């Protein structure tokens, strides 16, 4: 059970932690206007199953979990960004949740794959994310190109793991060193690892205990890497 958020804030207990639970509940315990940047990769609502049968929680059924974006908006600082991956064929549900929360879309990023992940009406070769603004954030000092090269993570820790190398440029463009970066659908912790490697603080929230453990292990590795580099 999380402590009331005044204590959390005082002791900064939520910082640099991977918290297990449903982000709709956990976010309620986080202080308002405490997060500098959100980078997140929610379930795409596509019933994903990989070749070995691995699935993603909440990826198949109702889009109710997208209501988390309203609390995400609340915990973000005024005039800040949220970059959210999404499932392109369920864009209506994502957009509805983002607009209801108060977000304003300001850009769209596409990662181009050099391989076909599946083929049907076309060869599916990209991933995508919206850049959403809370308020009127300033322009990044070095704006990111909205077409990026994709890198395959190998999906070793998680069936839909994002490569840390594709996340780092996003964190560097939309946040400053020392910033608090939140991922409420953190899976195996790729966003948190990327944030740590970029000299940011992180908060990860994930429903599944096994992915929280993996994320903590990866973060311990990243911490020893950043200590060596310092
Ligand atoms: C697309 S995956 C994220 C993968 C992550 N980017 C990585 O690199 O490992 C989405 C994650 O959200 C988690 N999830 C689904 N519903 C959730 C909820 N209500 N609260 C917290 N996590 C949730 C799933 O268990 C899954 O691990």
């Amino acid at each position: 059970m999380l402590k009331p958020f005044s204590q959390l804030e005082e002791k900064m207990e939520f910082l640099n932690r991977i918290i297990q639970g449903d982000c709709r509940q956990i976010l309620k315990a986080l202080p308002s206007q405490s997060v500098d940047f959100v980078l997140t990769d929610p379930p795409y609502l596509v019933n994903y199953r990989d070749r070995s049968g691995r699935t993603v929680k909440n990826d198949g059924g109702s889009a109710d979990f997208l209501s988390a974006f309203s609390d995400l908006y609340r915990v973000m600082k005024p005039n800040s960004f949220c970059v959210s991956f999404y499932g392109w064929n369920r864009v209506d549900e994502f957009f509805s949740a983002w607009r209801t929360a108060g977000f304003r879309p300001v850009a769209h990023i596409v990662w181009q794959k050099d391989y076909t992940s599946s083929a049907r009406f076309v060869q599916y070769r990209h991933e995508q994310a919206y850049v959403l603004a809370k308020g009127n954030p300033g322009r990044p000092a070095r704006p990111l190109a909205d077409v990026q090269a994709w890198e395959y993570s190998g999906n070793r820790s998680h069936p839909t793991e994002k490569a840390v190398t594709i996340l780092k440029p996003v964190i560097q463009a939309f946040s400053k060193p020392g910033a608090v970066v939140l991922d409420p659908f953190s899976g195996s912790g790729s966003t948190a690892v990327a944030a740590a490697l970029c000299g940011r603080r992180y908060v990860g929230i994930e429903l599944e205990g096994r992915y929280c453990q993996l994320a903590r292990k990866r973060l311990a590795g990243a911490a020893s890497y950043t200590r060596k580099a310092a």
Side-chain angles (χ1 to χ4, degrees), residues 19-26 39-44 55-59 64-66 68 85 153 155 157-164 167 183-191 205-208 210-211 218:
I19 303 161
Q20 188 189 349
D22 185 326
C23 62
R24 284 169 295 181
Q25 267 101 58
I26 305 289
L39 173 55
T40 193
D41 179 23
Y44 283 10
T55 56
V56 174
K57 279 251 176 343
N58 276 335
D59 194 48
D64 285 356
F65 66 88
L66 291 176
F85 288 87
S153 67
N155 292 337
S157 304
H158 189 284
T160 62
E161 185 180 334
K162 298 286 185 284
V164 166
L167 302 176
D183 183 352
F185 298 98
S186 96
S188 61
S190 307
T191 300
I205 307 172
E206 166 57 41
L207 205 48
E208 290 215 60
R210 58 187 165 148
Y211 295 134
R218 291 176 76 195

Side-chain angles (χ1 to χ4, degrees), residues 16-20 186 189 192 202-206 212 215-216 219:
N16 294 333
R17 272 189 62 193
I18 299 292
I19 303 161
Q20 188 189 349
S186 96
Y202 61 84
V203 182
I205 307 172
E206 166 57 41
C212 292
R216 290 175 194 133
L219 282 155

Side-chain angles (χ1 to χ4, degrees), residues 132-206:
L132 306 162
K134 172 176 177 173
N136 284 301
R139 292 183 197 173
R142 290 191 192 161
L144 195 68
D146 67 0
V147 178
Q148 294 279 310
W150 176 257
E151 236 176 86
Y152 179 53
S153 67
N155 292 337
R156 279 178 288 275
S157 304
H158 189 284
T160 62
E161 185 180 334
K162 298 286 185 284
V164 166
T165 43
I166 68 144
L167 302 176
K168 279 171 66 181
V170 180
I171 291 171
Q172 280 158 342
F174 291 104
S175 71
K176 297 200 167 87
V180 176
V181 178
L182 167 65
D183 183 352
F185 298 98
S186 96
S188 61
S190 307
T191 300
V193 171
L197 293 177
C198 293
R200 274 63 168 172
R201 294 172 292 170
Y202 61 84
V203 182
I205 307 172
E206 166 57 41

